[in-house]
Amino acid sequence: MDSIAPRVPLGPKALADPLAPALANLATLALGESGGGITILKTRQPMILEQLLPAKSPTMTEGTIVAWRIQPGDAVKSGQVIAEIQTDKAVIEWEAADNGTVAAILVPAGQVAQVNSIAAIFTSKAGEDAAAAIAAAKDKNTKLNAAAVPAAAATPAVAPAANPLSTPIAAPALAPKAETPTGRGGLRISPLAAKIAAKLGIDVRQVKGSGPEGRIIRRDIEAAAAAGTARIGAGAAGTKPERPALTLTRPDAADTAVAMTPMRKAIARRLSESKAQIPHFYVTDRVDAAALVGLREQLNAFAGVKITVNDLIVRAAALALRQHPEVNATFDGTSIRRTDSADISVAVAIPDGLITPIVFKAHTLTVAQIGTQVRALAKKAAEGRLQPAEFEGGTFTISNLGMFGIESFTAIINPPQAAILAVAGISDEPVVRDGAIVPGKVLRLTLSADHRVVDGAAAAGFLRTLRGLLERPAGLLL
Amino acid sequence: MIPASRLAPPLRASRPINLKTEPINGAKGIPLGNGQQLLSLRMAICQALDEEMRRDERIFVMGEEVAQYNGAYKVTKGLLDSFGPDRVIDTPITENGFAGLAVGAAMTGLRPVIEFMSWNFSFVAFDQIVSNASKMCYMTGGMFPIPLVMRGPNGAGPRVSSQHSHAVEALYSHFPGLIVVSPSTPYDAKGLLKTALRQDNPVCFLENEMLYGHEQDIPVAEYLIPFGVGDLKREGGDCTIVAINRCVHWALEAAETLAKEGISCEVVDPRTIKPLDIELIVESVRKTGRCVVVEECYRTGGVGAEIAAQLMELAFDDLDAPVERVTTTENPMPYAENLEHETLPKPHRIIAAVKKACSR
């Protein structure tokens, strides 16, 4: 025992020495340039300012730079517009958050890039070397955008064959839920049994399980194999096992593949979610529109006035919503919010798809004011210049296909709203007036409502009020 | 296939200690000729200590009553006479103190062996074991390895009630830096303890009071058993039973009964819980498709839970049934003998679990 000495020399010196240079460094950093008295750290490193492609709407995952307003070498001030970005909904101006000099533009105009891609690099001072940062940023962009491809390809979450009515509604969750209550496509089978079955070519759907709760286990597969039954293709009772028919679409030379624009993707995703997850129901009503048409003609007789049927319907809907707050509501999956103000989204068709700019507080506006606003918003939408505040946050949507002379149609609810009104065209039809059949003008309205929020009686009540307002339209001018 | 060389020598029936006929020195086995000797598990541990203390003078033994009283369970019988009071040291009843002392001694280059009269008493030394012994080498950048062996009986004795019946395999294998050894036979105990005494990490060496009297014919010639190498205690094709420490014997008893009913069980003894020979377990489960884990620890967070999780990760497609766990039921150990019997993972519970796994 005496011969055993500690293997490591101990003592304050031995321990302190290796740390000494680090401690000295620390001291220098803390003291800053002048060596004493100053407690603010100063940096001499050139500062690289990465400009990350921003998410300009809550649903934006990728975007396109429509145009850069800067070029390498430019001095940029915080707040200056540096580019225009096409989001999934609109073209939006991008303002710089930093002062600096443009060292490089990494996402060229016209190219789709994931949010948080490094679109440009600034340096804090002109002429600083940013080569390393640019190379690293290019690398990062490549990885970020490569990683996004499979994720995006896997996005269509709603199975096309699924009947929306049979899809269980998970109250708070908006994501679709897989429903295979017994696993492996309705079969209970142990992993080992499944493996052996695949190896032996046994059709497990024809095997009866002897394990707990009918689970197919190894011995069931081995028994089936020994008996020579349940071979795939053989059929247990002489019938072929059913296989889902596959329809293959072969591309034709005349076909055109159309790339999905960010807006098209957003429409596809949001409407699929809405139709699959919201229990829609539909109520249609027939409005005698003769008085409405007459009123419009009278109003348009004034010089400089241009009122459309749609303007009158927006006004009427706004007044009806005020009387039926249960329809003027939004639902976030857990709670319902009834809104005092009738903020009406008006569906506007644009070349890329459609968008729903909002006439806020429509119940406080005159028919003429509504008309002016709708046309201004439609013009901005067509130019792709709507700002998010102009199309996010409505409480009710009106979709009007009347200009196409459509007899009637149903619309898909625009979540989180609880209802949408589909407005068809006004047609000449016989109507019964004072007991006699006479030529009349008929307008069909269909309300799509979310049954989680609105019940049938409420929807019908709303439509009755709306019909009343449209059939005696003088009240719309009050 | 598992090579036949992995199979340990056959077990003999347990025999209560007879102080009159046992050798004066616990390290001296009863020679049987043909290179074999008869050793109880208690003597196997003593023989391993004796051989290694002769080989390496840095090794010393410390604990309550280990010297003059020859050990509370006579495991250190004769060591004081052989090595003197500098290397076989009686301590006061101070587990926290002598565990800390041992960590310090190991830091200076000694190789301490401390005996907990029972692993239940290690709880008062928990901080020394978990915060010091297992962390020192890491926290000093490798300057101070801790070649410390902590040993003593683990699990339920007969009717020692709730505070003195803990099995600590799962508890101590939770912490990185500790090796956990839990042997079931004299052969394994000797070979594993010799390995523990020749390596530089802290080792929890978990014995069992109820197995001290178990005897086995083992080689006179020196042998070592590496950590992380499990052992097949019985071969079979229908169900794998992974059993630890005393449960190995219950599993063998259950396997014997099940064999009469036509269910052939393979009994795997991992021998060390950390590192765990998961390869051997997976190899066996690939053969049988079913697994029952038997341990004296509690069910929640037990060794069985760990093995079941690893089998799910490594052998999912080879499982014909969910992994079954037979553990000590989750209640404080009752004093009453009949209740203790129902609390422990005894053969009747193992048989039921195997039948369930086999859907029989």
Side-chain angles (χ1 to χ4, degrees), chain A residues 300-352:
Chain A
N300 283 342
F302 290 93
V305 175
K306 169 98 173 81
I307 301 292
T308 64
V309 172
N310 194 60
D311 301 335
L312 293 162
I313 291 173
V314 171
R315 169 75 177 156
L319 296 176
L321 286 171
R322 292 278 289 176
Q323 290 183 43
H324 296 271
E326 63 273 25
V327 180
N328 196 38
T330 52
F331 184 54
D332 64 4
T334 49
S335 63
I336 295 168
R337 174 180 292 270
R338 288 184 180 169
T339 315
D340 183 54
S341 172
D343 301 333
I344 297 187
S345 306
V346 179
V348 174
I350 55 174
D352 265 355

Tab-separated table of all heavy atoms in Angstrom, chain A residues 300-352:
chain	number	residue	atom	x	y	z
A	300	ASN	N	-79.507	53.707	-60.428
A	300	ASN	CA	-78.528	53.902	-61.486
A	300	ASN	C	-78.950	54.986	-62.483
A	300	ASN	O	-78.160	55.382	-63.337
A	300	ASN	CB	-78.248	52.584	-62.220
A	300	ASN	CG	-77.333	51.697	-61.383
A	300	ASN	OD1	-76.677	52.199	-60.454
A	300	ASN	ND2	-77.265	50.424	-61.678
A	301	ALA	N	-80.212	55.440	-62.356
A	301	ALA	CA	-80.664	56.526	-63.225
A	301	ALA	C	-80.004	57.844	-62.842
A	301	ALA	O	-79.930	58.773	-63.637
A	301	ALA	CB	-82.191	56.660	-63.166
A	302	PHE	N	-79.543	57.925	-61.575
A	302	PHE	CA	-78.826	59.139	-61.174
A	302	PHE	C	-77.469	59.175	-61.849
A	302	PHE	O	-76.800	58.149	-61.989
A	302	PHE	CB	-78.638	59.168	-59.653
A	302	PHE	CG	-79.918	59.389	-58.904
A	302	PHE	CD1	-80.686	58.324	-58.452
A	302	PHE	CD2	-80.378	60.686	-58.655
A	302	PHE	CE1	-81.856	58.531	-57.769
A	302	PHE	CE2	-81.556	60.884	-57.970
A	302	PHE	CZ	-82.306	59.814	-57.517
A	303	ALA	N	-77.048	60.367	-62.260
A	303	ALA	CA	-75.778	60.502	-62.956
A	303	ALA	C	-74.627	60.145	-62.014
A	303	ALA	O	-74.635	60.526	-60.846
A	303	ALA	CB	-75.614	61.932	-63.455
A	304	GLY	N	-73.672	59.392	-62.527
A	304	GLY	CA	-72.459	59.092	-61.757
A	304	GLY	C	-72.649	57.981	-60.729
A	304	GLY	O	-71.719	57.650	-59.999
A	305	VAL	N	-73.863	57.412	-60.665
A	305	VAL	CA	-74.073	56.326	-59.696
A	305	VAL	C	-74.050	54.992	-60.427
A	305	VAL	O	-74.642	54.852	-61.499
A	305	VAL	CB	-75.415	56.522	-58.948
A	305	VAL	CG1	-75.683	55.320	-58.045
A	305	VAL	CG2	-75.369	57.808	-58.156
A	306	LYS	N	-73.331	54.008	-59.851
A	306	LYS	CA	-73.312	52.652	-60.435
A	306	LYS	C	-73.456	51.673	-59.269
A	306	LYS	O	-72.532	51.470	-58.482
A	306	LYS	CB	-71.975	52.453	-61.176
A	306	LYS	CG	-71.706	51.032	-61.611
A	306	LYS	CD	-72.068	50.819	-63.087
A	306	LYS	CE	-71.634	49.444	-63.575
A	306	LYS	NZ	-72.594	48.381	-63.181
A	307	ILE	N	-74.649	51.159	-59.134
A	307	ILE	CA	-74.927	50.196	-58.065
A	307	ILE	C	-75.175	48.838	-58.712
A	307	ILE	O	-75.876	48.743	-59.726
A	307	ILE	CB	-76.204	50.606	-57.279
A	307	ILE	CG1	-76.056	52.003	-56.663
A	307	ILE	CG2	-76.514	49.573	-56.194
A	307	ILE	CD1	-75.053	52.113	-55.547
A	308	THR	N	-74.564	47.787	-58.136
A	308	THR	CA	-74.806	46.435	-58.658
A	308	THR	C	-75.752	45.704	-57.717
A	308	THR	O	-75.947	46.107	-56.555
A	308	THR	CB	-73.498	45.630	-58.756
A	308	THR	OG1	-73.008	45.456	-57.437
A	308	THR	CG2	-72.451	46.372	-59.582
A	309	VAL	N	-76.307	44.621	-58.218
A	309	VAL	CA	-77.148	43.769	-57.362
A	309	VAL	C	-76.319	43.289	-56.174
A	309	VAL	O	-76.784	43.209	-55.045
A	309	VAL	CB	-77.703	42.579	-58.178
A	309	VAL	CG1	-78.421	41.592	-57.259
A	309	VAL	CG2	-78.649	43.086	-59.248
A	310	ASN	N	-75.052	42.972	-56.454
A	310	ASN	CA	-74.186	42.468	-55.383
A	310	ASN	C	-74.044	43.490	-54.251
A	310	ASN	O	-74.043	43.137	-53.076
A	310	ASN	CB	-72.812	42.109	-55.955
A	310	ASN	CG	-72.003	41.277	-54.977
A	310	ASN	OD1	-72.430	40.193	-54.609
A	310	ASN	ND2	-70.870	41.815	-54.534
A	311	ASP	N	-73.935	44.773	-54.586
A	311	ASP	CA	-73.815	45.802	-53.552
A	311	ASP	C	-75.046	45.778	-52.649
A	311	ASP	O	-74.946	45.878	-51.422
A	311	ASP	CB	-73.675	47.194	-54.188
A	311	ASP	CG	-72.456	47.284	-55.100
A	311	ASP	OD1	-71.510	46.500	-54.889
A	311	ASP	OD2	-72.453	48.123	-56.024
A	312	LEU	N	-76.215	45.612	-53.284
A	312	LEU	CA	-77.456	45.571	-52.513
A	312	LEU	C	-77.503	44.324	-51.628
A	312	LEU	O	-77.951	44.352	-50.487
A	312	LEU	CB	-78.666	45.594	-53.466
A	312	LEU	CG	-78.846	46.919	-54.241
A	312	LEU	CD1	-79.743	46.719	-55.450
A	312	LEU	CD2	-79.409	47.995	-53.330
A	313	ILE	N	-76.985	43.226	-52.147
A	313	ILE	CA	-77.006	41.973	-51.374
A	313	ILE	C	-76.031	42.060	-50.195
A	313	ILE	O	-76.327	41.585	-49.106
A	313	ILE	CB	-76.695	40.769	-52.292
A	313	ILE	CG1	-77.866	40.557	-53.259
A	313	ILE	CG2	-76.458	39.506	-51.480
A	313	ILE	CD1	-77.627	39.507	-54.329
A	314	VAL	N	-74.863	42.687	-50.416
A	314	VAL	CA	-73.909	42.849	-49.310
A	314	VAL	C	-74.547	43.664	-48.191
A	314	VAL	O	-74.468	43.322	-47.007
A	314	VAL	CB	-72.607	43.519	-49.798
A	314	VAL	CG1	-71.704	43.893	-48.618
A	314	VAL	CG2	-71.847	42.598	-50.759
A	315	ARG	N	-75.221	44.741	-48.587
A	315	ARG	CA	-75.892	45.587	-47.610
A	315	ARG	C	-76.993	44.800	-46.873
A	315	ARG	O	-77.086	44.838	-45.648
A	315	ARG	CB	-76.498	46.804	-48.344
A	315	ARG	CG	-77.447	47.672	-47.552
A	315	ARG	CD	-76.745	48.550	-46.551
A	315	ARG	NE	-77.699	49.416	-45.865
A	315	ARG	CZ	-77.494	49.956	-44.667
A	315	ARG	NH1	-76.364	49.729	-44.029
A	315	ARG	NH2	-78.397	50.731	-44.127
A	316	ALA	N	-77.779	44.050	-47.651
A	316	ALA	CA	-78.865	43.277	-47.053
A	316	ALA	C	-78.315	42.209	-46.111
A	316	ALA	O	-78.822	42.003	-45.002
A	316	ALA	CB	-79.708	42.636	-48.154
A	317	ALA	N	-77.242	41.528	-46.537
A	317	ALA	CA	-76.643	40.482	-45.703
A	317	ALA	C	-76.112	41.090	-44.410
A	317	ALA	O	-76.253	40.509	-43.324
A	317	ALA	CB	-75.526	39.780	-46.473
A	318	ALA	N	-75.503	42.289	-44.516
A	318	ALA	CA	-74.951	42.933	-43.323
A	318	ALA	C	-76.063	43.225	-42.313
A	318	ALA	O	-75.916	42.970	-41.116
A	318	ALA	CB	-74.232	44.224	-43.712
A	319	LEU	N	-77.184	43.717	-42.807
A	319	LEU	CA	-78.299	44.017	-41.910
A	319	LEU	C	-78.885	42.727	-41.319
A	319	LEU	O	-79.226	42.661	-40.144
A	319	LEU	CB	-79.381	44.819	-42.666
A	319	LEU	CG	-78.939	46.206	-43.161
A	319	LEU	CD1	-80.057	46.864	-43.973
A	319	LEU	CD2	-78.534	47.111	-42.001
A	320	ALA	N	-78.969	41.684	-42.143
A	320	ALA	CA	-79.506	40.409	-41.656
A	320	ALA	C	-78.579	39.790	-40.613
A	320	ALA	O	-79.020	39.208	-39.621
A	320	ALA	CB	-79.716	39.454	-42.831
A	321	LEU	N	-77.284	39.930	-40.831
A	321	LEU	CA	-76.312	39.363	-39.867
A	321	LEU	C	-76.442	40.030	-38.505
A	321	LEU	O	-76.269	39.400	-37.472
A	321	LEU	CB	-74.872	39.522	-40.389
A	321	LEU	CG	-74.471	38.592	-41.537
A	321	LEU	CD1	-73.112	39.010	-42.090
A	321	LEU	CD2	-74.423	37.135	-41.064
A	322	ARG	N	-76.734	41.331	-38.520
A	322	ARG	CA	-76.903	42.048	-37.251
A	322	ARG	C	-78.109	41.515	-36.482
A	322	ARG	O	-78.132	41.541	-35.267
A	322	ARG	CB	-77.081	43.557	-37.527
A	322	ARG	CG	-75.806	44.194	-38.077
A	322	ARG	CD	-74.841	44.550	-37.000
A	322	ARG	NE	-75.328	45.689	-36.224
A	322	ARG	CZ	-74.728	46.188	-35.158
A	322	ARG	NH1	-73.623	45.619	-34.720
A	322	ARG	NH2	-75.209	47.222	-34.536
A	323	GLN	N	-79.093	41.022	-37.230
A	323	GLN	CA	-80.268	40.457	-36.570
A	323	GLN	C	-80.056	38.997	-36.175
A	323	GLN	O	-80.808	38.451	-35.383
A	323	GLN	CB	-81.492	40.556	-37.490
A	323	GLN	CG	-81.982	41.966	-37.689
A	323	GLN	CD	-83.247	41.966	-38.552
A	323	GLN	OE1	-84.140	41.149	-38.387
A	323	GLN	NE2	-83.313	42.907	-39.485
A	324	HIS	N	-79.053	38.345	-36.795
A	324	HIS	CA	-78.810	36.913	-36.531
A	324	HIS	C	-77.337	36.725	-36.146
A	324	HIS	O	-76.557	36.185	-36.929
A	324	HIS	CB	-79.156	36.073	-37.757
A	324	HIS	CG	-80.610	36.121	-38.123
A	324	HIS	ND1	-81.541	35.248	-37.608
A	324	HIS	CD2	-81.297	36.986	-38.898
A	324	HIS	CE1	-82.745	35.559	-38.078
A	324	HIS	NE2	-82.626	36.617	-38.858
A	325	PRO	N	-76.957	37.161	-34.953
A	325	PRO	CA	-75.533	37.096	-34.580
A	325	PRO	C	-74.984	35.670	-34.563
A	325	PRO	O	-73.777	35.476	-34.699
A	325	PRO	CB	-75.510	37.723	-33.186
A	325	PRO	CG	-76.919	37.688	-32.692
A	325	PRO	CD	-77.789	37.739	-33.904
A	326	GLU	N	-75.890	34.657	-34.426
A	326	GLU	CA	-75.390	33.274	-34.408
A	326	GLU	C	-74.783	32.874	-35.748
A	326	GLU	O	-73.986	31.949	-35.834
A	326	GLU	CB	-76.507	32.300	-34.000
A	326	GLU	CG	-77.702	32.228	-34.957
A	326	GLU	CD	-78.780	33.277	-34.684
A	326	GLU	OE1	-78.457	34.342	-34.100
A	326	GLU	OE2	-79.939	33.047	-35.065
A	327	VAL	N	-75.154	33.602	-36.826
A	327	VAL	CA	-74.570	33.293	-38.141
A	327	VAL	C	-73.301	34.113	-38.362
A	327	VAL	O	-72.380	33.696	-39.066
A	327	VAL	CB	-75.603	33.570	-39.257
A	327	VAL	CG1	-75.020	33.254	-40.631
A	327	VAL	CG2	-76.867	32.752	-39.014
A	328	ASN	N	-73.247	35.275	-37.726
A	328	ASN	CA	-72.078	36.163	-37.888
A	328	ASN	C	-71.015	35.747	-36.874
A	328	ASN	O	-70.698	36.467	-35.949
A	328	ASN	CB	-72.502	37.614	-37.660
A	328	ASN	CG	-71.459	38.588	-38.187
A	328	ASN	OD1	-70.856	38.338	-39.230
A	328	ASN	ND2	-71.243	39.677	-37.472
A	329	ALA	N	-70.457	34.522	-37.077
A	329	ALA	CA	-69.611	33.939	-36.034
A	329	ALA	C	-68.397	33.258	-36.653
A	329	ALA	O	-68.379	32.949	-37.845
A	329	ALA	CB	-70.422	32.924	-35.234
A	330	THR	N	-67.388	33.066	-35.830
A	330	THR	CA	-66.228	32.276	-36.244
A	330	THR	C	-66.003	31.185	-35.209
A	330	THR	O	-66.410	31.313	-34.062
A	330	THR	CB	-64.954	33.139	-36.356
A	330	THR	OG1	-64.788	33.852	-35.130
A	330	THR	CG2	-65.044	34.115	-37.511
A	331	PHE	N	-65.338	30.111	-35.644
A	331	PHE	CA	-65.134	28.939	-34.788
A	331	PHE	C	-63.686	28.502	-34.943
A	331	PHE	O	-63.233	28.209	-36.047
A	331	PHE	CB	-66.080	27.824	-35.235
A	331	PHE	CG	-66.025	26.589	-34.369
A	331	PHE	CD1	-66.206	26.670	-33.002
A	331	PHE	CD2	-65.809	25.333	-34.942
A	331	PHE	CE1	-66.174	25.530	-32.215
A	331	PHE	CE2	-65.781	24.190	-34.156
A	331	PHE	CZ	-65.968	24.295	-32.791
A	332	ASP	N	-62.930	28.454	-33.813
A	332	ASP	CA	-61.509	28.089	-33.912
A	332	ASP	C	-61.273	26.632	-33.543
A	332	ASP	O	-60.146	26.220	-33.326
A	332	ASP	CB	-60.662	29.017	-33.023
A	332	ASP	CG	-60.987	28.870	-31.546
A	332	ASP	OD1	-61.812	27.995	-31.201
A	332	ASP	OD2	-60.420	29.631	-30.742
A	333	GLY	N	-62.324	25.838	-33.454
A	333	GLY	CA	-62.146	24.431	-33.097
A	333	GLY	C	-62.501	24.182	-31.652
A	333	GLY	O	-62.864	23.067	-31.274
A	334	THR	N	-62.376	25.199	-30.812
A	334	THR	CA	-62.732	25.003	-29.408
A	334	THR	C	-63.810	25.976	-28.945
A	334	THR	O	-64.608	25.638	-28.081
A	334	THR	CB	-61.506	25.156	-28.486
A	334	THR	OG1	-60.840	26.357	-28.825
A	334	THR	CG2	-60.564	23.990	-28.626
A	335	SER	N	-63.801	27.177	-29.498
A	335	SER	CA	-64.820	28.113	-29.027
A	335	SER	C	-65.390	28.927	-30.185
A	335	SER	O	-64.735	29.142	-31.208
A	335	SER	CB	-64.222	29.040	-27.963
A	335	SER	OG	-63.204	29.811	-28.538
A	336	ILE	N	-66.625	29.350	-29.963
A	336	ILE	CA	-67.341	30.122	-30.981
A	336	ILE	C	-67.272	31.594	-30.591
A	336	ILE	O	-67.447	31.942	-29.422
A	336	ILE	CB	-68.819	29.671	-31.030
A	336	ILE	CG1	-68.894	28.213	-31.516
A	336	ILE	CG2	-69.641	30.602	-31.919
A	336	ILE	CD1	-70.254	27.591	-31.339
A	337	ARG	N	-66.988	32.449	-31.560
A	337	ARG	CA	-66.963	33.883	-31.295
A	337	ARG	C	-68.025	34.553	-32.166
A	337	ARG	O	-67.964	34.493	-33.392
A	337	ARG	CB	-65.581	34.451	-31.610
A	337	ARG	CG	-65.501	35.979	-31.490
A	337	ARG	CD	-64.110	36.456	-31.810
A	337	ARG	NE	-63.176	36.027	-30.780
A	337	ARG	CZ	-62.895	36.737	-29.689
A	337	ARG	NH1	-63.440	37.913	-29.517
A	337	ARG	NH2	-62.064	36.273	-28.796
A	338	ARG	N	-69.014	35.161	-31.510
A	338	ARG	CA	-70.017	35.926	-32.261
A	338	ARG	C	-69.520	37.354	-32.373
A	338	ARG	O	-69.075	37.936	-31.379
A	338	ARG	CB	-71.358	35.890	-31.532
A	338	ARG	CG	-72.018	34.524	-31.638
A	338	ARG	CD	-73.367	34.517	-31.014
A	338	ARG	NE	-73.939	33.179	-31.152
A	338	ARG	CZ	-75.031	32.781	-30.533
A	338	ARG	NH1	-75.676	33.604	-29.733
A	338	ARG	NH2	-75.475	31.561	-30.713
A	339	THR	N	-69.592	37.906	-33.560
A	339	THR	CA	-69.006	39.213	-33.805
A	339	THR	C	-70.102	40.261	-33.962
A	339	THR	O	-71.109	40.017	-34.616
A	339	THR	CB	-68.142	39.164	-35.077
A	339	THR	OG1	-67.361	37.979	-35.027
A	339	THR	CG2	-67.209	40.347	-35.157
A	340	ASP	N	-69.883	41.403	-33.329
A	340	ASP	CA	-70.858	42.481	-33.404
A	340	ASP	C	-70.875	43.077	-34.802
A	340	ASP	O	-71.921	43.324	-35.388
A	340	ASP	CB	-70.482	43.536	-32.349
A	340	ASP	CG	-71.495	44.655	-32.309
A	340	ASP	OD1	-72.697	44.347	-32.156
A	340	ASP	OD2	-71.093	45.829	-32.458
A	341	SER	N	-69.675	43.283	-35.347
A	341	SER	CA	-69.547	43.956	-36.632
A	341	SER	C	-69.746	42.966	-37.779
A	341	SER	O	-69.251	41.832	-37.723
A	341	SER	CB	-68.148	44.580	-36.696
A	341	SER	OG	-67.927	45.084	-37.979
A	342	ALA	N	-70.463	43.373	-38.831
A	342	ALA	CA	-70.609	42.527	-40.018
A	342	ALA	C	-69.465	42.858	-40.969
A	342	ALA	O	-69.525	43.843	-41.711
A	342	ALA	CB	-71.958	42.766	-40.672
A	343	ASP	N	-68.395	42.073	-40.878
A	343	ASP	CA	-67.230	42.276	-41.743
A	343	ASP	C	-67.334	41.252	-42.865
A	343	ASP	O	-67.023	40.081	-42.680
A	343	ASP	CB	-65.936	42.095	-40.941
A	343	ASP	CG	-65.850	43.070	-39.778
A	343	ASP	OD1	-66.456	44.151	-39.855
A	343	ASP	OD2	-65.185	42.739	-38.772
A	344	ILE	N	-67.779	41.685	-44.022
A	344	ILE	CA	-68.170	40.728	-45.049
A	344	ILE	C	-67.065	40.541	-46.084
A	344	ILE	O	-66.619	41.489	-46.739
A	344	ILE	CB	-69.482	41.170	-45.722
A	344	ILE	CG1	-70.582	41.172	-44.652
A	344	ILE	CG2	-69.835	40.254	-46.889
A	344	ILE	CD1	-71.965	41.419	-45.166
A	345	SER	N	-66.610	39.260	-46.183
A	345	SER	CA	-65.623	38.913	-47.205
A	345	SER	C	-66.365	38.735	-48.522
A	345	SER	O	-67.395	38.064	-48.580
A	345	SER	CB	-64.932	37.598	-46.847
A	345	SER	OG	-64.386	37.655	-45.545
A	346	VAL	N	-65.828	39.359	-49.574
A	346	VAL	CA	-66.460	39.256	-50.890
A	346	VAL	C	-65.507	38.491	-51.795
A	346	VAL	O	-64.375	38.919	-52.020
A	346	VAL	CB	-66.742	40.665	-51.466
A	346	VAL	CG1	-67.383	40.546	-52.846
A	346	VAL	CG2	-67.643	41.448	-50.520
A	347	ALA	N	-65.964	37.338	-52.274
A	347	ALA	CA	-65.085	36.518	-53.111
A	347	ALA	C	-64.858	37.215	-54.445
A	347	ALA	O	-65.811	37.618	-55.109
A	347	ALA	CB	-65.702	35.143	-53.318
A	348	VAL	N	-63.579	37.362	-54.809
A	348	VAL	CA	-63.222	38.032	-56.057
A	348	VAL	C	-62.374	37.069	-56.883
A	348	VAL	O	-61.373	36.554	-56.399
A	348	VAL	CB	-62.422	39.326	-55.761
A	348	VAL	CG1	-61.930	39.946	-57.056
A	348	VAL	CG2	-63.256	40.298	-54.966
A	349	ALA	N	-62.807	36.825	-58.096
A	349	ALA	CA	-62.015	35.960	-58.974
A	349	ALA	C	-60.876	36.774	-59.562
A	349	ALA	O	-61.071	37.903	-60.011
A	349	ALA	CB	-62.896	35.404	-60.088
A	350	ILE	N	-59.667	36.203	-59.512
A	350	ILE	CA	-58.505	36.859	-60.118
A	350	ILE	C	-57.802	35.823	-60.974
A	350	ILE	O	-58.097	34.624	-60.850
A	350	ILE	CB	-57.571	37.452	-59.040
A	350	ILE	CG1	-57.162	36.366	-58.035
A	350	ILE	CG2	-58.241	38.612	-58.318
A	350	ILE	CD1	-56.144	36.856	-57.035
A	351	PRO	N	-56.871	36.212	-61.823
A	351	PRO	CA	-56.290	35.239	-62.764
A	351	PRO	C	-55.713	33.997	-62.084
A	351	PRO	O	-55.860	32.888	-62.591
A	351	PRO	CB	-55.186	36.062	-63.450
A	351	PRO	CG	-55.680	37.469	-63.385
A	351	PRO	CD	-56.435	37.586	-62.105
A	352	ASP	N	-55.088	34.128	-60.946
A	352	ASP	CA	-54.449	32.992	-60.278
A	352	ASP	C	-55.426	32.122	-59.512
A	352	ASP	O	-55.107	30.998	-59.155
A	352	ASP	CB	-53.408	33.506	-59.278
A	352	ASP	CG	-52.038	33.525	-59.907
A	352	ASP	OD1	-51.927	33.057	-61.044
A	352	ASP	OD2	-51.106	34.025	-59.261
